Amino acid sequence: MWGYRVAQSFVFAIEEINRSAHLLPNLTLGFSIRNSGDSVHGALYETMGFLTGQEEPIPNYTCQHGSPQAALVGDTRSSLSVSMARLLGLYKFSQVSYSSSLPSLSDKIQFPSFLRTLTSDITSSHAVTQLIIHFQWSWVIILAQDDDFGQQASSLATQQLSPAGVCIEYHLHVPSHQSLGKIEETVQKMQKCTSKVVLVFLSNSNFQLILHGLLGVPVSGQVWVSKGTLHMALALTIPGISQVLQGTFGLLYHSSRAIGFPEFLAHLRPSQTPEDMFIKKFWEFTFDCTWPYQNSTVTEGVQFCTGNESLKNKPHPFPEVSKIDAAYTAVYSIAHALHNMLACEHQERKGTNSHNFHSWQLLHALKKVHFKTLDGIKIMFDANGDLVTKFDIFQGQKTPAGVFHLVHVGMIDPQVSSGNKMMVQLKEDLQVPSSICSESCLPGFSQVPRLGAPHCCFDCSPCPEGQFADQRDMKRCLLCPKEQYSSHTRDHCLPRTEIFLAFEEPLGFILALVALLLAGLAVLVLGVFLKHRDTPVVRANNRTLSYFLLISLSLCALCALLFLGRPTVTTCLLRQTTFAVVFTVAVSSVLAKTLTVVLAFKVTRPRSRIQICLSPGTSTLVVLIASLIQVVLCGVWLATFPPFPDKDMLSEPQHIVIQCHDGSGATFFCVLGYLGFLAGGTFSVAFLARDLPDVFNETKFLTFSMLLFCSVWTAFLPLYYSARGKSTVAVEIFSILASTAGLLGGIFIPKCYIILLKPEKNTPSWLKQGHHI
């Protein structure tokens, strides 16, 4: 019987306007309440009767005397309003609905004279999806009626939710007619759901049936969200519903409140309005009593109505508030439109009076009406005839006793929007559960979609080296800039430090010290040889070549210092070229010494060509020619594509390695290849001559030293190209020092031993006795 209360709010508004000294001061509004019988036929019949003023209406024929009809308020259900709106639209007769929310009624081509003091289902559905997006619920169930409203609303919700990253676990449709089999099937599917949020677009009856069905199954902790508050009110009255629901959310459009209406209703008595045919039935329903009739017998236990019962202590259900307020606002909208129309006509002095105006004139004024109600609410209609309003957000909160009560927790304003998003305002301390398919990925992780699952279902994978994720739920990791590296947690980037093999660090200091010691040792040996230059050991096998070799070995040790410290243009140019030239001098000196020994044993007669080749100038010429070829190769290298300082960003993730780039790789390998060719040739010659008598030559020492030299540089290549960062420089320095030490130790240490420790063996007489050195 909530419809009767709505009708009384209509009467309350009329009486309030008639008492007003500012709104229609010289005009008294009347009204007529008609019963459509909740059928399309009844609605059309009563509408036609209202338009024609006849009990048995004849279309396009008016039998009207006295006050004109201004507008029609109603009906309740959208199906009835559609039929009425089509008829009233033909006459441009204003119709204001307080309950019909069908989206198609916003079409002004089909329904040009229809307005409503509420929003359409499209707007409210859009608003409720904004609530879901605002709460960051990404895993929801849509439960929709299998009719135009349910399909249209759920389709709109899907279109709004999908771009916002919300996934629909199940989209369940419930038939419009009550089907217990389908209800049971829906309940079974909901048992399998993992989502905690259910978006509802259902009729009241199906809504209650599904909730009752869920009471007997193991489903708990769900939050049901509806575009209205009626569903919430129905849900909260079901005994034991707290076992299923963790909470509910619903929207109520923000409308003017019918202040004073409860007091008006409290003074209502059947005796005051005997012409009211509906009040007695309302009274019986409300007070659970029966009116006494003549000749009626008194039945035990039956309570009779006295008419003096009071409605003061009979609060109407919460959902009825919105209907009462909407009907109240509808009456005031018509009154303000009529007031504005008459005021405009008076200003233009057209002489129009309140008893002589066309329906289209009031419709025009009604579409443009804009006023404030007694409680300060602004009332106006948009271009579609829908009320421009905000939505109040109500939450069904559960008390410790397991009882739900409705609490106002915020507001949604469709007029304040950014793109497709409405402004949502909520209480700061509002707590809502989460509804997600997968737990959020922390910074440092990225989402990896699960195969065959919606995009909301994913696994979290840590970012690889060099990449980071500084926010939650990033779809992919981002690359750090070249000058930075990813932190241990992979959630931000840190600046990379520049490194090189410096003199100050322990490894650099040790290598520099070894280089200086080797260079000093070579100089010391050179000094020993110069001091004992006339002894047999020094004179044997061309002492000039020995001097060349010792000087080049000293330079070989010192050239290792060029590889230490921060690379510059100068050091990069000198590093490899100096190394190549001085080592070529050293190896070519060894080659010349080896050739000298071999040729010495080939001499069979005096003044032969072989004897000419044994002259000191010939050996020096071999060294000069071999070294000159290397100098030419290095010159071509420096002239075409010389080495230069470079930054290695790849070898060490946390550092930038400052190094020398070799420039032309082909020329560099030509330089190394030529040096390797000399070394290989020298070793081969020395190896073949290793069995010559030891008294006259040093071939065994030359062979051993070249074996060390070749072994070091053969091992150098794989180590050099497998090392990373400054380790490559360390490997090259070690190879330089090791090969230098091999040549110095293998060739000259045995001689120094004889010169310094066994001087008696370093005499011509000792050699003439046939002793071996």
Side-chain angles (χ1 to χ4, degrees), residues 40 60 91 102 138 383 389 438 492 515 522 526 629 745 759 768-770:
V40 174
N60 298 324
Y91 300 97
L102 190 69
S138 60
T389 185
S438 300
H492 64 283
L526 178 61
I629 294 174
K768 289 179 181 179
Q769 293 177 8

Side-chain angles (χ1 to χ4, degrees), residues 490-547:
R490 302 289 192 269
D491 57 354
H492 64 283
C493 294
L494 299 171
R496 300 169 71 175
T497 55
E498 294 183 347
I499 61 167
F500 48 85
L501 191 57
F503 288 97
E504 295 80 8
E505 61 182 288
L507 180 60
F509 177 78
I510 292 173
L511 291 175
L513 184 61
V514 172
L516 293 174
L517 290 175
L518 283 176
L521 182 61
V523 172
L524 185 62
V525 172
L526 178 61
V528 171
F529 268 50
L530 288 174
K531 183 177 180 181
H532 301 86
R533 59 183 175 277
D534 295 326
T535 60
V537 172
V538 176
R539 294 180 61 189
N541 201 356
N542 199 332
R543 60 187 172 187
T544 303
L545 287 178
S546 296
Y547 297 156

Side-chain angles (χ1 to χ4, degrees), residues 481-493:
K482 289 184 177 181
E483 295 76 17
Q484 297 180 354
Y485 70 97
S486 55
S487 64
H488 177 70
T489 54
R490 302 289 192 269
D491 57 354
H492 64 283
C493 294

